[in-house]
Every structure is written in structure tokens, then in C-alpha cells.
Amino acid sequence: MKTTWNVKLAGMLGMATLAVAGLATSAVAQANEAADYPNQLVKIIVPYAPGGFNDTLGRMFANAMQEAMGQSVVVENHGGAGTVVGTRLAARAPADGYTLLVNGFPFILNQFLYKELPYKNTDFTPVIAGAKSNNLLVVRADSPFKSVKDLVDYAKANPGKLNYATAGNGSSNHVTMEYFKSVAGIKMMGIPYKGSAPMVTDLLGGQVDVMFDNVPHVLPHVQAGKMRALAITNAERSSLAPEVPTIAEQGYPGFEVSVPYGLLAPAGTPPAIVEKINGVLQQAMKTPEFTKVFEAQGVEAMSGSAEDFGKFIEAESAKWKPVVEQAGIVLN
């Protein structure tokens, strides 16, 4: 019996030793792979047409990686279907660090907006959060509404009479308004547009009463005296418009909407490679070049570890799922 147990124990110890050795070998292999990375062309997919901040961020990331790593990094634009086209391409790429994806708010929302997606969010691993922007709640300069309270009081007294512009179902300004309507307990009618420019035109022309839109799109009109900003969706006032109060400080504590932009990689990309890319880009985002562009675009740097970005995505997913479900927003 003693001999039998000794044999079993020896076998178990041998298996454990092999397992530890296997883990050590794998760790060494990943470290070597990361040290050698990149040794060929790196591709960053931007699931939008050229132009806009997503494209800008992708190209800034590409330039920073190329300069720091000494290997060519290119940006490929694959727009369409609310980022689904480009995101699907990235999901099907090898998990080796040579295909990356710029995405953010649509990545968080699409899992709830679409009945079916050709990928899952678990098909990706976070690399780094790049930046975030906020929305301004704006009306025409001659509007009778001078605060969030004015707007809410009128909407409650006249349910459905006010209308608001969106950049289409499922857009950031659409779900932001649905979130606001929910917490404020009001009803308004949404009018979808094909982008920010026609929204701005019709708000100024009096065809719509109110809207949320990204700070860079509407702040110039506010500064020119053509629009009035009632609130900003940030947790704190923005340095870009410090005179504009937050929604939270006007009676809705905890209200915050940030539109994030970040970098993802196919799930299974070696952690050492993810960490290497993250480190390079964290350093790049501290440079004057990044700071200058971010300020000009009206966005705030986020940075942080890959784990930080993952936690942010999880928290935002938990926040937006009930908003989308309650509003009944479904995209085919």
C-alpha cells in the first residue's frame, strides 16, 4: 500500500512539475514574442470613413507606435453599419497584435442595439482607452429655456410637444437623450438626421427645439451667440466651457455621459504584447503633440492600463443596457 501511494504521489508531483514547467515555458515564449514585436506591418482598423476623431486617433496611435517601435503601422478605414463592418474584420483577424481596432461608444452600445452581430464583445481584449468627449445640451439662442429646469418643467407640462434632433437611432446623442428623458421623467419626440451638420442647421432654423451633440460640433455656435448651452454631460465642468453647468449639478446627481475612444485587439492577443502597446501609447499621450490635438478636438485624454479600459467598458455596458432596453431601440 505504501509503495502504491508513493508511486501515486510521485506521479502527481511529476505532473505538477510538468505543469509549472509548461507555464514557465509559455511565459518565456510570450516574453520573447513581445520582445520581438513588431517584426512586420501592423494594421489599425478604423471602422469609420476618413475624417472625424476616431480616424484622427487611429492615425496618431499609428504614428506613435511606428516611431517608438521602428516598424510600419498603417490605418485602414472600413466604415459602415455603425462600425459593425470594420469591427467584424478585426474580430476575424489573428490574435497576434498585428491587427488592432479603434472603437469605443459603438462597441459598448452595439451589443444591445442589434438583434444579431457577426462578433461578440468577448472576441476582443482592451488595449488602452484613448480619450473621451462629452455632449452639450443646446437650444437656439432665442429659446425661452435658460436652464435644464426650464426645459424639464415645460416638457412635463407639455408632454410630446417638444422635439429633439439625433444623428440617427442608436447614435450617442440619441441614447444620451433617451437617458436624460428617463431620469427627468419627460417625453419628447425624436427626429433622426444623417449626421451632426443637418441637426445643427435645423436647430438654428427652428425646425427642432433641443438636442445633445458633441462639444466640438456645437461649442463654436454657442460661442458665436447662435446657440445656448444648457448643460454638459460630463461629471465636472469642462475647461472648454467652464461657464456651462453639468446636468448633475442641476438636479440630477450622478448623470454623466462620456463618449469614449480606445484601442482593442482580438481576444487571445498575448498579454505581453498588449502591455507593450499600452506602454508605448501611454507615453505618447503625455506628449505636447497629443495634448494639442486633443484640446483642438474638444476631447479629454483617458490613458491608463488595459485593465482600466476593460473595467470602464464593463461599467458602461451595465449602465447602457437598461437605457437601450427601456427605450426599445433596435437596429437591424
Side-chain angles (χ1 to χ4, degrees), residues 165-174 191-197 199 212-213:
T166 78
N169 290 336
S171 60
S172 69
N173 44 40
H174 179 209
I191 301 177
Y193 288 83
K194 293 182 178 179
S196 178
M199 289 167 52
F212 280 105
D213 204 359

Side-chain angles (χ1 to χ4, degrees), residues 155-211:
K156 285 184 175 181
N158 302 272
K161 186 172 182 179
L162 292 177
N163 56 37
Y164 64 93
T166 78
N169 290 336
S171 60
S172 69
N173 44 40
H174 179 209
V175 296
T176 299
M177 185 61 83
E178 291 296 340
Y179 181 31
F180 176 67
K181 286 163 55 184
S182 174
V183 299
I186 57 176
K187 293 182 179 180
M188 295 190 289
M189 182 176 295
I191 301 177
Y193 288 83
K194 293 182 178 179
S196 178
M199 289 167 52
V200 168
T201 298
D202 274 12
L203 181 73
L204 294 175
Q207 280 71 46
V208 291
D209 301 304
V210 62
M211 68 182 189

